[in-house]
Amino acid sequence: MAQIIDGNAVAEEIKKEIIEETEKLKAKGITPGIATLLVGDDFGARMYRGQVEKNCQSVGFNYFDKSLPADTTEEEVVNIVKELNDDPAVSGILPLRPFPPHVSDSAVINTIRVDKDIDCFHPFNMGRLTLGEPTLAPCTPSACIELLERVGIDFEGAEIVVVGHSNIVGKPVALLALNRNATITVTHIFTSQAGNLAKHTTGADILIVAAGKAGLITPDLVKEGAVVIDVGINRVKVLDEEGNPVLDEKGKPKTKTVGDVDFENVKEKVKAITPVPGGVGAVTNMMLLKNALTAAKMQAGIE
Ligand code: NDP
């Protein structure tokens, strides 16, 4: 039976560490602060905004809400980022995407001061990550690493396979693991289309999955005794035993959140696995706070 890696418990541990550090910093007159930047009213982005606000409050950070209407021009958005760059109370800036189509991601991201870029979106910080130099590490990828480190994984020489090559998860998690001397294979949609996914995933000591496809990873794609980190977040319909949708009291199909891994069946074969929810997501939230704390210290010239 696999160890179920409890992301909530790890998140609670990190939160305690952050609260302690924040109190020490406040004693020196410094309070970390996060500003979120939301343009328009994308549902997912709004949900994330609320979560960041709540998390800031829970550790004693300041929080600044920059929620702008969908018709805000790109120039206006960029000017707001510049104001946040210059505001000493803001230690970290988090753009909440997607932006409306007329606001380009790169115009916003390239404007963020690199020492306030708390999710490592800026090309400068991604470059430093590629060079293996210290940087504000991207939150979800560092959550994967943190979970693996806290369950005692030795990265050196480990065969790590990443499924997904996005700039936000797949590529940076591969770089973080490479910087720890693991052997990395990055797979993606073309790997699957070429019929080669299983060839790679079945050789993985550690499998990190970030594809956004519910049920993609079935037991036949996983090595016996592997460690599986499931980053995916997917809303799927709840089905009854005959495969029909279960309806709620309003007659609408009930839904639930699942990852990319067929958790129930894969957990019978592996050494350890993260659940969804309660795995990577909870820790990601804490990594953002940790980065804001680091950024506040850097800006104050504290080691
Ligand atoms: P993207 O859609 O940007 O990237 C998905 C990646 O998976 C792409 O590289 C894509 O390849 C690849 N892919 C898609 N289908 C397959 C397949 N059948 N076989 C192999 N590779 C495939 O998503 P993100 O990286 O932003 O996010 C991935 C998942 O992680 C999502 O479910 C997202 O909700 C979740 N997430 C969770 C977070 C957390 O904190 N827990 C934070 C961020 C994301 P290609 O580009 O070539 O199509």
Side-chain angles (χ1 to χ4, degrees), residues 173-195:
V173 79
L175 288 166
L176 287 173
L178 183 61
N179 291 343
R180 287 162 175 75
N181 298 323
T183 305
I184 308 301
T185 304
V186 181
T187 65
H188 42 77
I189 191 75
F190 295 99
T191 318
S192 284
Q193 284 170 1

mmCIF file of all heavy atoms in Angstrom, residues 173-195:
data_model
loop_
_atom_site.group_PDB
_atom_site.id
_atom_site.type_symbol
_atom_site.label_atom_id
_atom_site.label_comp_id
_atom_site.label_asym_id
_atom_site.label_seq_id
_atom_site.Cartn_x
_atom_site.Cartn_y
_atom_site.Cartn_z
ATOM 1 N N VAL A 173 9.848 22.524 -13.430
ATOM 2 C CA VAL A 173 10.063 21.430 -12.461
ATOM 3 C C VAL A 173 11.194 20.537 -12.958
ATOM 4 O O VAL A 173 11.999 20.026 -12.162
ATOM 5 C CB VAL A 173 8.757 20.639 -12.160
ATOM 6 C CG1 VAL A 173 8.401 19.629 -13.228
ATOM 7 C CG2 VAL A 173 8.875 19.924 -10.821
ATOM 8 N N ALA A 174 11.307 20.387 -14.284
ATOM 9 C CA ALA A 174 12.411 19.599 -14.836
ATOM 10 C C ALA A 174 13.746 20.271 -14.498
ATOM 11 O O ALA A 174 14.709 19.604 -14.111
ATOM 12 C CB ALA A 174 12.242 19.457 -16.345
ATOM 13 N N LEU A 175 13.781 21.605 -14.611
ATOM 14 C CA LEU A 175 15.025 22.329 -14.309
ATOM 15 C C LEU A 175 15.386 22.227 -12.824
ATOM 16 O O LEU A 175 16.556 22.026 -12.476
ATOM 17 C CB LEU A 175 14.883 23.805 -14.717
ATOM 18 C CG LEU A 175 14.871 24.059 -16.230
ATOM 19 C CD1 LEU A 175 14.402 25.467 -16.543
ATOM 20 C CD2 LEU A 175 16.264 23.815 -16.823
ATOM 21 N N LEU A 176 14.381 22.362 -11.957
ATOM 22 C CA LEU A 176 14.662 22.264 -10.508
ATOM 23 C C LEU A 176 15.241 20.886 -10.172
ATOM 24 O O LEU A 176 16.153 20.769 -9.348
ATOM 25 C CB LEU A 176 13.378 22.500 -9.695
ATOM 26 C CG LEU A 176 12.856 23.940 -9.622
ATOM 27 C CD1 LEU A 176 11.496 23.976 -8.922
ATOM 28 C CD2 LEU A 176 13.833 24.854 -8.893
ATOM 29 N N ALA A 177 14.693 19.843 -10.801
ATOM 30 C CA ALA A 177 15.176 18.481 -10.532
ATOM 31 C C ALA A 177 16.561 18.274 -11.147
ATOM 32 O O ALA A 177 17.441 17.648 -10.542
ATOM 33 C CB ALA A 177 14.177 17.462 -11.060
ATOM 34 N N LEU A 178 16.770 18.826 -12.337
ATOM 35 C CA LEU A 178 18.093 18.733 -12.991
ATOM 36 C C LEU A 178 19.156 19.421 -12.140
ATOM 37 O O LEU A 178 20.271 18.915 -11.980
ATOM 38 C CB LEU A 178 18.004 19.379 -14.381
ATOM 39 C CG LEU A 178 19.249 19.318 -15.265
ATOM 40 C CD1 LEU A 178 19.639 17.867 -15.567
ATOM 41 C CD2 LEU A 178 19.005 20.067 -16.575
ATOM 42 N N ASN A 179 18.771 20.572 -11.557
ATOM 43 C CA ASN A 179 19.714 21.304 -10.698
ATOM 44 C C ASN A 179 20.064 20.510 -9.434
ATOM 45 O O ASN A 179 21.006 20.847 -8.728
ATOM 46 C CB ASN A 179 19.142 22.674 -10.301
ATOM 47 C CG ASN A 179 19.062 23.609 -11.506
ATOM 48 O OD1 ASN A 179 19.697 23.369 -12.524
ATOM 49 N ND2 ASN A 179 18.268 24.669 -11.401
ATOM 50 N N ARG A 180 19.261 19.466 -9.148
ATOM 51 C CA ARG A 180 19.558 18.581 -8.009
ATOM 52 C C ARG A 180 20.199 17.270 -8.481
ATOM 53 O O ARG A 180 20.183 16.272 -7.771
ATOM 54 C CB ARG A 180 18.273 18.309 -7.223
ATOM 55 C CG ARG A 180 17.824 19.511 -6.414
ATOM 56 C CD ARG A 180 16.371 19.422 -5.979
ATOM 57 N NE ARG A 180 16.026 20.550 -5.099
ATOM 58 C CZ ARG A 180 15.832 21.800 -5.520
ATOM 59 N NH1 ARG A 180 15.919 22.090 -6.804
ATOM 60 N NH2 ARG A 180 15.542 22.762 -4.652
ATOM 61 N N ASN A 181 20.656 17.272 -9.728
ATOM 62 C CA ASN A 181 21.408 16.147 -10.307
ATOM 63 C C ASN A 181 20.594 14.886 -10.550
ATOM 64 O O ASN A 181 21.129 13.772 -10.507
ATOM 65 C CB ASN A 181 22.652 15.820 -9.456
ATOM 66 C CG ASN A 181 23.594 17.004 -9.426
ATOM 67 O OD1 ASN A 181 23.744 17.709 -10.432
ATOM 68 N ND2 ASN A 181 24.196 17.262 -8.277
ATOM 69 N N ALA A 182 19.296 15.061 -10.781
ATOM 70 C CA ALA A 182 18.493 13.917 -11.240
ATOM 71 C C ALA A 182 18.670 13.779 -12.748
ATOM 72 O O ALA A 182 19.157 14.689 -13.415
ATOM 73 C CB ALA A 182 17.028 14.161 -10.908
ATOM 74 N N THR A 183 18.296 12.614 -13.271
ATOM 75 C CA THR A 183 18.277 12.405 -14.726
ATOM 76 C C THR A 183 16.846 12.675 -15.180
ATOM 77 O O THR A 183 15.911 12.057 -14.682
ATOM 78 C CB THR A 183 18.662 10.948 -15.064
ATOM 79 O OG1 THR A 183 19.925 10.678 -14.459
ATOM 80 C CG2 THR A 183 18.738 10.737 -16.563
ATOM 81 N N ILE A 184 16.698 13.636 -16.102
ATOM 82 C CA ILE A 184 15.359 14.138 -16.426
ATOM 83 C C ILE A 184 14.912 13.752 -17.829
ATOM 84 O O ILE A 184 15.668 13.906 -18.785
ATOM 85 C CB ILE A 184 15.347 15.689 -16.379
ATOM 86 C CG1 ILE A 184 15.911 16.198 -15.065
ATOM 87 C CG2 ILE A 184 13.947 16.240 -16.603
ATOM 88 C CD1 ILE A 184 15.171 15.731 -13.858
ATOM 89 N N THR A 185 13.680 13.311 -17.938
ATOM 90 C CA THR A 185 13.044 13.136 -19.242
ATOM 91 C C THR A 185 11.760 13.957 -19.225
ATOM 92 O O THR A 185 10.975 13.849 -18.275
ATOM 93 C CB THR A 185 12.666 11.653 -19.479
ATOM 94 O OG1 THR A 185 13.838 10.865 -19.323
ATOM 95 C CG2 THR A 185 12.072 11.444 -20.872
ATOM 96 N N VAL A 186 11.599 14.810 -20.220
ATOM 97 C CA VAL A 186 10.363 15.609 -20.297
ATOM 98 C C VAL A 186 9.509 15.085 -21.453
ATOM 99 O O VAL A 186 9.975 15.033 -22.594
ATOM 100 C CB VAL A 186 10.675 17.103 -20.498
ATOM 101 C CG1 VAL A 186 9.380 17.913 -20.556
ATOM 102 C CG2 VAL A 186 11.577 17.622 -19.385
ATOM 103 N N THR A 187 8.282 14.683 -21.145
ATOM 104 C CA THR A 187 7.368 14.174 -22.173
ATOM 105 C C THR A 187 6.216 15.162 -22.336
ATOM 106 O O THR A 187 5.994 16.004 -21.466
ATOM 107 C CB THR A 187 6.804 12.800 -21.774
ATOM 108 O OG1 THR A 187 6.003 12.971 -20.594
ATOM 109 C CG2 THR A 187 7.908 11.797 -21.512
ATOM 110 N N HIS A 188 5.523 15.066 -23.447
ATOM 111 C CA HIS A 188 4.435 16.003 -23.731
ATOM 112 C C HIS A 188 3.475 15.384 -24.726
ATOM 113 O O HIS A 188 3.570 14.180 -24.997
ATOM 114 C CB HIS A 188 5.011 17.342 -24.221
ATOM 115 C CG HIS A 188 6.139 17.174 -25.168
ATOM 116 N ND1 HIS A 188 5.931 16.828 -26.484
ATOM 117 C CD2 HIS A 188 7.475 17.216 -24.970
ATOM 118 C CE1 HIS A 188 7.105 16.694 -27.069
ATOM 119 N NE2 HIS A 188 8.060 16.925 -26.179
ATOM 120 N N ILE A 189 2.604 16.210 -25.292
ATOM 121 C CA ILE A 189 1.546 15.679 -26.141
ATOM 122 C C ILE A 189 2.114 14.917 -27.348
ATOM 123 O O ILE A 189 1.581 13.887 -27.755
ATOM 124 C CB ILE A 189 0.572 16.811 -26.566
ATOM 125 C CG1 ILE A 189 -0.688 16.248 -27.238
ATOM 126 C CG2 ILE A 189 1.221 17.826 -27.473
ATOM 127 C CD1 ILE A 189 -1.656 15.622 -26.321
ATOM 128 N N PHE A 190 3.251 15.402 -27.867
ATOM 129 C CA PHE A 190 3.815 14.733 -29.056
ATOM 130 C C PHE A 190 4.417 13.371 -28.694
ATOM 131 O O PHE A 190 4.452 12.464 -29.515
ATOM 132 C CB PHE A 190 4.837 15.646 -29.759
ATOM 133 C CG PHE A 190 4.183 16.885 -30.313
ATOM 134 C CD1 PHE A 190 4.229 18.091 -29.620
ATOM 135 C CD2 PHE A 190 3.467 16.841 -31.500
ATOM 136 C CE1 PHE A 190 3.603 19.218 -30.105
ATOM 137 C CE2 PHE A 190 2.831 17.967 -31.991
ATOM 138 C CZ PHE A 190 2.896 19.170 -31.293
ATOM 139 N N THR A 191 4.880 13.248 -27.434
ATOM 140 C CA THR A 191 5.355 11.942 -26.947
ATOM 141 C C THR A 191 4.190 10.956 -26.973
ATOM 142 O O THR A 191 4.320 9.824 -27.433
ATOM 143 C CB THR A 191 5.879 12.080 -25.494
ATOM 144 O OG1 THR A 191 6.637 13.266 -25.365
ATOM 145 C CG2 THR A 191 6.680 10.882 -25.079
ATOM 146 N N SER A 192 3.033 11.432 -26.460
ATOM 147 C CA SER A 192 1.835 10.573 -26.431
ATOM 148 C C SER A 192 1.389 10.234 -27.839
ATOM 149 O O SER A 192 1.092 9.077 -28.147
ATOM 150 C CB SER A 192 0.683 11.281 -25.715
ATOM 151 O OG SER A 192 0.897 11.249 -24.336
ATOM 152 N N GLN A 193 1.363 11.263 -28.696
ATOM 153 C CA GLN A 193 0.885 11.039 -30.066
ATOM 154 C C GLN A 193 1.790 10.075 -30.835
ATOM 155 O O GLN A 193 1.335 9.348 -31.715
ATOM 156 C CB GLN A 193 0.757 12.371 -30.817
ATOM 157 C CG GLN A 193 -0.480 13.144 -30.372
ATOM 158 C CD GLN A 193 -0.528 14.559 -30.912
ATOM 159 O OE1 GLN A 193 0.348 14.996 -31.653
ATOM 160 N NE2 GLN A 193 -1.562 15.294 -30.527
ATOM 161 N N ALA A 194 3.072 10.062 -30.476
ATOM 162 C CA ALA A 194 3.999 9.136 -31.131
ATOM 163 C C ALA A 194 3.921 7.740 -30.498
ATOM 164 O O ALA A 194 4.664 6.834 -30.893
ATOM 165 C CB ALA A 194 5.424 9.683 -31.036
ATOM 166 N N GLY A 195 3.058 7.587 -29.489
ATOM 167 C CA GLY A 195 2.881 6.280 -28.838
ATOM 168 C C GLY A 195 4.018 5.920 -27.895
ATOM 169 O O GLY A 195 4.227 4.753 -27.576
#
